[in-house]
mmCIF file of all heavy atoms in Angstrom:
data_model
loop_
_atom_site.group_PDB
_atom_site.id
_atom_site.type_symbol
_atom_site.label_atom_id
_atom_site.label_comp_id
_atom_site.label_asym_id
_atom_site.label_seq_id
_atom_site.Cartn_x
_atom_site.Cartn_y
_atom_site.Cartn_z
ATOM 1 N N GLY E 1 0.799 -1.218 0.000
ATOM 2 C CA GLY E 1 0.000 0.000 0.000
ATOM 3 C C GLY E 1 0.830 1.266 0.000
ATOM 4 O O GLY E 1 1.975 1.284 -0.451
ATOM 5 N N LEU E 2 0.250 2.331 0.534
ATOM 6 C CA LEU E 2 0.884 3.642 0.490
ATOM 7 C C LEU E 2 2.117 3.764 1.375
ATOM 8 O O LEU E 2 2.900 4.698 1.219
ATOM 9 C CB LEU E 2 -0.128 4.726 0.867
ATOM 10 C CG LEU E 2 -1.266 4.929 -0.123
ATOM 11 C CD1 LEU E 2 -2.249 5.969 0.396
ATOM 12 C CD2 LEU E 2 -0.735 5.322 -1.488
ATOM 13 N N GLU E 3 2.292 2.847 2.327
ATOM 14 C CA GLU E 3 3.485 2.900 3.170
ATOM 15 C C GLU E 3 4.733 2.547 2.374
ATOM 16 O O GLU E 3 5.820 3.003 2.676
ATOM 17 C CB GLU E 3 3.367 1.940 4.363
ATOM 18 C CG GLU E 3 2.314 2.325 5.370
ATOM 19 C CD GLU E 3 0.907 1.884 4.954
ATOM 20 O OE1 GLU E 3 0.783 0.944 4.157
ATOM 21 O OE2 GLU E 3 -0.052 2.495 5.423
ATOM 22 N N GLY E 4 4.578 1.693 1.364
ATOM 23 C CA GLY E 4 5.712 1.242 0.576
ATOM 24 C C GLY E 4 5.941 2.107 -0.642
ATOM 25 O O GLY E 4 5.180 3.012 -0.934
ATOM 26 N N GLY E 5 7.029 1.801 -1.341
ATOM 27 C CA GLY E 5 7.327 2.519 -2.576
ATOM 28 C C GLY E 5 8.796 2.848 -2.696
ATOM 29 O O GLY E 5 9.642 2.323 -1.974
ATOM 30 N N VAL E 6 9.083 3.751 -3.642
ATOM 31 C CA VAL E 6 10.443 4.198 -3.900
ATOM 32 C C VAL E 6 10.577 5.613 -3.334
ATOM 33 O O VAL E 6 9.778 6.494 -3.651
ATOM 34 C CB VAL E 6 10.742 4.192 -5.414
ATOM 35 C CG1 VAL E 6 12.131 4.744 -5.701
ATOM 36 C CG2 VAL E 6 10.611 2.770 -5.964
ATOM 37 N N PHE E 7 11.599 5.823 -2.515
ATOM 38 C CA PHE E 7 11.776 7.102 -1.830
ATOM 39 C C PHE E 7 13.178 7.652 -2.062
ATOM 40 O O PHE E 7 14.148 6.898 -2.159
ATOM 41 C CB PHE E 7 11.544 6.941 -0.328
ATOM 42 C CG PHE E 7 10.140 6.532 0.002
ATOM 43 C CD1 PHE E 7 9.803 5.196 0.150
ATOM 44 C CD2 PHE E 7 9.146 7.493 0.150
ATOM 45 C CE1 PHE E 7 8.501 4.816 0.440
ATOM 46 C CE2 PHE E 7 7.848 7.124 0.439
ATOM 47 C CZ PHE E 7 7.517 5.782 0.588
ATOM 48 N N VAL E 8 13.259 8.978 -2.128
ATOM 49 C CA VAL E 8 14.522 9.687 -2.320
ATOM 50 C C VAL E 8 14.623 10.758 -1.242
ATOM 51 O O VAL E 8 13.627 11.402 -0.901
ATOM 52 C CB VAL E 8 14.575 10.334 -3.722
ATOM 53 C CG1 VAL E 8 15.817 11.181 -3.888
ATOM 54 C CG2 VAL E 8 14.496 9.272 -4.807
ATOM 55 N N LEU E 9 15.826 10.946 -0.739
ATOM 56 C CA LEU E 9 16.068 11.916 0.332
ATOM 57 C C LEU E 9 17.487 12.444 0.200
ATOM 58 O O LEU E 9 18.409 11.675 -0.087
ATOM 59 C CB LEU E 9 15.888 11.216 1.685
ATOM 60 C CG LEU E 9 16.179 11.983 2.959
ATOM 61 C CD1 LEU E 9 15.140 13.079 3.171
ATOM 62 C CD2 LEU E 9 16.181 11.040 4.149
ATOM 63 N N TRP E 10 17.673 13.747 0.396
ATOM 64 C CA TRP E 10 19.020 14.307 0.429
ATOM 65 C C TRP E 10 19.585 14.120 1.825
ATOM 66 O O TRP E 10 18.918 14.378 2.825
ATOM 67 C CB TRP E 10 19.000 15.796 0.079
ATOM 68 C CG TRP E 10 20.389 16.355 0.058
ATOM 69 C CD1 TRP E 10 20.981 17.114 1.017
ATOM 70 C CD2 TRP E 10 21.360 16.166 -0.962
ATOM 71 N NE1 TRP E 10 22.273 17.408 0.655
ATOM 72 C CE2 TRP E 10 22.535 16.834 -0.560
ATOM 73 C CE3 TRP E 10 21.371 15.485 -2.182
ATOM 74 C CZ2 TRP E 10 23.691 16.855 -1.330
ATOM 75 C CZ3 TRP E 10 22.523 15.500 -2.945
ATOM 76 C CH2 TRP E 10 23.664 16.185 -2.516
ATOM 77 N N SER E 11 20.821 13.677 1.912
ATOM 78 C CA SER E 11 21.449 13.423 3.202
ATOM 79 C C SER E 11 22.764 14.197 3.315
ATOM 80 O O SER E 11 23.633 14.068 2.456
ATOM 81 C CB SER E 11 21.722 11.924 3.352
ATOM 82 O OG SER E 11 22.352 11.653 4.585
ATOM 83 N N VAL E 12 22.857 14.985 4.375
ATOM 84 C CA VAL E 12 24.109 15.687 4.663
ATOM 85 C C VAL E 12 24.962 14.779 5.548
ATOM 86 O O VAL E 12 24.486 13.762 6.059
ATOM 87 C CB VAL E 12 23.839 17.035 5.370
ATOM 88 C CG1 VAL E 12 23.018 17.954 4.489
ATOM 89 C CG2 VAL E 12 23.181 16.839 6.722
ATOM 90 N N ALA E 13 26.194 15.165 5.762
ATOM 91 C CA ALA E 13 27.082 14.399 6.639
ATOM 92 C C ALA E 13 26.484 14.330 8.046
ATOM 93 O O ALA E 13 25.866 15.283 8.525
ATOM 94 C CB ALA E 13 28.457 15.049 6.693
ATOM 95 N N HIS E 14 26.670 13.203 8.699
ATOM 96 C CA HIS E 14 26.142 12.994 10.047
ATOM 97 C C HIS E 14 26.643 14.085 11.006
ATOM 98 O O HIS E 14 25.883 14.585 11.836
ATOM 99 C CB HIS E 14 26.534 11.603 10.547
ATOM 100 C CG HIS E 14 26.095 11.333 11.946
ATOM 101 N ND1 HIS E 14 24.779 11.111 12.278
ATOM 102 C CD2 HIS E 14 26.795 11.278 13.109
ATOM 103 C CE1 HIS E 14 24.682 10.931 13.577
ATOM 104 N NE2 HIS E 14 25.899 11.014 14.101
ATOM 105 N N ASP E 15 27.920 14.463 10.889
ATOM 106 C CA ASP E 15 28.482 15.495 11.765
ATOM 107 C C ASP E 15 27.759 16.836 11.596
ATOM 108 O O ASP E 15 27.544 17.561 12.567
ATOM 109 C CB ASP E 15 29.973 15.681 11.498
ATOM 110 C CG ASP E 15 30.802 14.493 11.965
ATOM 111 O OD1 ASP E 15 30.280 13.654 12.733
ATOM 112 O OD2 ASP E 15 31.975 14.417 11.570
ATOM 113 N N PHE E 16 27.385 17.168 10.362
ATOM 114 C CA PHE E 16 26.676 18.417 10.087
ATOM 115 C C PHE E 16 25.277 18.380 10.709
ATOM 116 O O PHE E 16 24.846 19.331 11.366
ATOM 117 C CB PHE E 16 26.605 18.641 8.576
ATOM 118 C CG PHE E 16 25.942 19.916 8.142
ATOM 119 C CD1 PHE E 16 25.961 21.061 8.920
ATOM 120 C CD2 PHE E 16 25.314 19.978 6.910
ATOM 121 C CE1 PHE E 16 25.358 22.244 8.490
ATOM 122 C CE2 PHE E 16 24.705 21.142 6.474
ATOM 123 C CZ PHE E 16 24.727 22.281 7.264
ATOM 124 N N ALA E 17 24.574 17.265 10.537
ATOM 125 C CA ALA E 17 23.233 17.122 11.121
ATOM 126 C C ALA E 17 23.305 17.195 12.648
ATOM 127 O O ALA E 17 22.477 17.859 13.286
ATOM 128 C CB ALA E 17 22.598 15.814 10.668
ATOM 129 N N SER E 18 24.300 16.536 13.233
ATOM 130 C CA SER E 18 24.471 16.568 14.689
ATOM 131 C C SER E 18 24.782 17.971 15.184
ATOM 132 O O SER E 18 24.258 18.413 16.208
ATOM 133 C CB SER E 18 25.589 15.617 15.122
ATOM 134 O OG SER E 18 25.230 14.285 14.834
ATOM 135 N N ALA E 19 25.631 18.685 14.452
ATOM 136 C CA ALA E 19 25.974 20.053 14.840
ATOM 137 C C ALA E 19 24.741 20.961 14.761
ATOM 138 O O ALA E 19 24.567 21.858 15.602
ATOM 139 C CB ALA E 19 27.084 20.598 13.943
ATOM 140 N N ALA E 20 23.876 20.735 13.794
ATOM 141 C CA ALA E 20 22.652 21.531 13.669
ATOM 142 C C ALA E 20 21.736 21.305 14.865
ATOM 143 O O ALA E 20 21.193 22.256 15.441
ATOM 144 C CB ALA E 20 21.933 21.192 12.371
ATOM 145 N N ILE E 21 21.598 20.058 15.265
ATOM 146 C CA ILE E 21 20.764 19.731 16.430
ATOM 147 C C ILE E 21 21.361 20.349 17.697
ATOM 148 O O ILE E 21 20.654 20.964 18.495
ATOM 149 C CB ILE E 21 20.613 18.202 16.586
ATOM 150 C CG1 ILE E 21 19.793 17.644 15.434
ATOM 151 C CG2 ILE E 21 19.992 17.842 17.930
ATOM 152 C CD1 ILE E 21 19.817 16.121 15.326
ATOM 153 N N GLU E 22 22.661 20.203 17.858
ATOM 154 C CA GLU E 22 23.338 20.755 19.040
ATOM 155 C C GLU E 22 23.213 22.270 19.095
ATOM 156 O O GLU E 22 22.934 22.846 20.152
ATOM 157 C CB GLU E 22 24.815 20.346 19.019
ATOM 158 C CG GLU E 22 25.567 20.764 20.251
ATOM 159 C CD GLU E 22 27.014 20.300 20.225
ATOM 160 O OE1 GLU E 22 27.261 19.168 19.757
ATOM 161 O OE2 GLU E 22 27.877 21.073 20.677
ATOM 162 N N SER E 23 23.372 22.918 17.944
ATOM 163 C CA SER E 23 23.264 24.380 17.938
ATOM 164 C C SER E 23 21.843 24.833 18.252
ATOM 165 O O SER E 23 21.647 25.842 18.929
ATOM 166 C CB SER E 23 23.730 24.958 16.593
ATOM 167 O OG SER E 23 22.804 24.674 15.571
ATOM 168 N N ALA E 24 20.858 24.073 17.799
ATOM 169 C CA ALA E 24 19.457 24.406 18.103
ATOM 170 C C ALA E 24 19.181 24.259 19.588
ATOM 171 O O ALA E 24 18.464 25.079 20.176
ATOM 172 C CB ALA E 24 18.523 23.518 17.296
ATOM 173 N N GLN E 25 19.751 23.236 20.198
ATOM 174 C CA GLN E 25 19.555 23.027 21.632
ATOM 175 C C GLN E 25 20.191 24.141 22.459
ATOM 176 O O GLN E 25 19.653 24.559 23.474
ATOM 177 C CB GLN E 25 20.117 21.671 22.056
ATOM 178 C CG GLN E 25 19.314 20.509 21.507
ATOM 179 C CD GLN E 25 20.012 19.169 21.706
ATOM 180 O OE1 GLN E 25 21.223 19.085 21.898
ATOM 181 N NE2 GLN E 25 19.226 18.098 21.634
ATOM 182 N N LYS E 26 21.337 24.632 22.006
ATOM 183 C CA LYS E 26 22.057 25.676 22.745
ATOM 184 C C LYS E 26 21.544 27.082 22.431
ATOM 185 O O LYS E 26 21.446 27.914 23.320
ATOM 186 C CB LYS E 26 23.551 25.610 22.418
ATOM 187 C CG LYS E 26 24.259 24.421 23.001
ATOM 188 C CD LYS E 26 25.722 24.448 22.630
ATOM 189 C CE LYS E 26 26.451 23.243 23.206
ATOM 190 N NZ LYS E 26 27.856 23.202 22.788
ATOM 191 N N GLU E 27 21.240 27.325 21.149
ATOM 192 C CA GLU E 27 20.951 28.691 20.712
ATOM 193 C C GLU E 27 19.524 28.900 20.210
ATOM 194 O O GLU E 27 19.155 30.022 19.874
ATOM 195 C CB GLU E 27 21.925 29.075 19.602
ATOM 196 C CG GLU E 27 23.386 28.964 19.999
ATOM 197 C CD GLU E 27 24.297 29.064 18.791
ATOM 198 O OE1 GLU E 27 24.094 29.956 17.952
ATOM 199 O OE2 GLU E 27 25.210 28.225 18.672
ATOM 200 N N GLY E 28 18.757 27.833 20.082
ATOM 201 C CA GLY E 28 17.388 27.964 19.581
ATOM 202 C C GLY E 28 17.308 27.930 18.061
ATOM 203 O O GLY E 28 18.291 27.656 17.369
ATOM 204 N N ASN E 29 16.134 28.245 17.563
ATOM 205 C CA ASN E 29 15.859 28.146 16.125
ATOM 206 C C ASN E 29 16.641 29.135 15.260
ATOM 207 O O ASN E 29 16.695 28.974 14.051
ATOM 208 C CB ASN E 29 14.361 28.327 15.860
ATOM 209 C CG ASN E 29 13.563 27.141 16.334
ATOM 210 O OD1 ASN E 29 14.096 26.052 16.539
ATOM 211 N ND2 ASN E 29 12.276 27.342 16.525
ATOM 212 N N LYS E 30 17.228 30.137 15.858
ATOM 213 C CA LYS E 30 17.985 31.144 15.090
ATOM 214 C C LYS E 30 19.462 30.796 14.968
ATOM 215 O O LYS E 30 20.230 31.564 14.386
ATOM 216 C CB LYS E 30 17.836 32.535 15.742
ATOM 217 C CG LYS E 30 16.412 33.024 15.808
ATOM 218 C CD LYS E 30 15.857 33.293 14.432
ATOM 219 C CE LYS E 30 14.448 33.843 14.555
ATOM 220 N NZ LYS E 30 13.753 33.897 13.313
ATOM 221 N N ALA E 31 19.869 29.663 15.498
ATOM 222 C CA ALA E 31 21.282 29.258 15.448
ATOM 223 C C ALA E 31 21.752 29.178 13.992
ATOM 224 O O ALA E 31 21.054 28.625 13.139
ATOM 225 C CB ALA E 31 21.469 27.918 16.144
ATOM 226 N N HIS E 32 22.933 29.727 13.742
ATOM 227 C CA HIS E 32 23.461 29.768 12.373
ATOM 228 C C HIS E 32 23.584 28.366 11.761
ATOM 229 O O HIS E 32 23.193 28.155 10.611
ATOM 230 C CB HIS E 32 24.820 30.481 12.331
ATOM 231 C CG HIS E 32 25.448 30.401 10.977
ATOM 232 N ND1 HIS E 32 24.998 31.150 9.912
ATOM 233 C CD2 HIS E 32 26.456 29.621 10.513
ATOM 234 C CE1 HIS E 32 25.714 30.837 8.844
ATOM 235 N NE2 HIS E 32 26.613 29.928 9.182
ATOM 236 N N THR E 33 24.137 27.419 12.490
ATOM 237 C CA THR E 33 24.337 26.070 11.944
ATOM 238 C C THR E 33 22.998 25.425 11.604
ATOM 239 O O THR E 33 22.868 24.785 10.560
ATOM 240 C CB THR E 33 25.126 25.190 12.937
ATOM 241 O OG1 THR E 33 26.363 25.840 13.240
ATOM 242 C CG2 THR E 33 25.419 23.822 12.358
ATOM 243 N N LEU E 34 22.005 25.628 12.445
ATOM 244 C CA LEU E 34 20.672 25.091 12.164
ATOM 245 C C LEU E 34 20.075 25.758 10.929
ATOM 246 O O LEU E 34 19.487 25.080 10.069
ATOM 247 C CB LEU E 34 19.752 25.283 13.364
ATOM 248 C CG LEU E 34 18.309 24.803 13.170
ATOM 249 C CD1 LEU E 34 18.278 23.293 12.971
ATOM 250 C CD2 LEU E 34 17.451 25.215 14.348
ATOM 251 N N GLN E 35 20.238 27.064 10.818
ATOM 252 C CA GLN E 35 19.735 27.791 9.648
ATOM 253 C C GLN E 35 20.414 27.299 8.370
ATOM 254 O O GLN E 35 19.757 27.104 7.345
ATOM 255 C CB GLN E 35 19.960 29.295 9.818
ATOM 256 C CG GLN E 35 19.179 29.923 10.947
ATOM 257 C CD GLN E 35 17.693 29.926 10.677
ATOM 258 O OE1 GLN E 35 17.256 30.253 9.578
ATOM 259 N NE2 GLN E 35 16.909 29.551 11.666
ATOM 260 N N HIS E 36 21.711 27.089 8.445
ATOM 261 C CA HIS E 36 22.461 26.600 7.277
ATOM 262 C C HIS E 36 21.996 25.186 6.895
ATOM 263 O O HIS E 36 21.785 24.887 5.719
ATOM 264 C CB HIS E 36 23.965 26.628 7.569
ATOM 265 C CG HIS E 36 24.807 26.173 6.425
ATOM 266 N ND1 HIS E 36 24.715 26.713 5.165
ATOM 267 C CD2 HIS E 36 25.760 25.205 6.358
ATOM 268 C CE1 HIS E 36 25.573 26.093 4.363
ATOM 269 N NE2 HIS E 36 26.211 25.181 5.059
ATOM 270 N N TYR E 37 21.826 24.335 7.894
ATOM 271 C CA TYR E 37 21.333 22.974 7.656
ATOM 272 C C TYR E 37 19.961 23.016 6.964
ATOM 273 O O TYR E 37 19.721 22.306 5.991
ATOM 274 C CB TYR E 37 21.239 22.215 8.984
ATOM 275 C CG TYR E 37 20.550 20.884 8.872
ATOM 276 C CD1 TYR E 37 21.240 19.750 8.455
ATOM 277 C CD2 TYR E 37 19.189 20.754 9.173
ATOM 278 C CE1 TYR E 37 20.603 18.529 8.340
ATOM 279 C CE2 TYR E 37 18.555 19.536 9.064
ATOM 280 C CZ TYR E 37 19.261 18.431 8.646
ATOM 281 O OH TYR E 37 18.631 17.216 8.524
#
């Protein structure tokens, strides 16, 4: 059904994604790294 299929997603480096999450936790939604991500 609709749960299955072919999916595409852009993936950044794990370190970049982690840094975005960390910056959001420390600085909120306006954090530069989160904005860049």
Side-chain angles (χ1 to χ4, degrees):
L2 293 177
E3 293 82 23
V6 176
F7 296 93
V8 175
L9 176 69
W10 182 257
S11 179
V12 298
H14 177 73
D15 290 345
F16 182 29
S18 295
I21 292 168
E22 185 178 321
S23 71
Q25 291 169 339
K26 289 180 180 176
E27 303 168 46
N29 289 341
K30 300 293 183 191
H32 174 74
T33 304
L34 178 65
Q35 295 292 315
H36 181 54
Y37 171 83

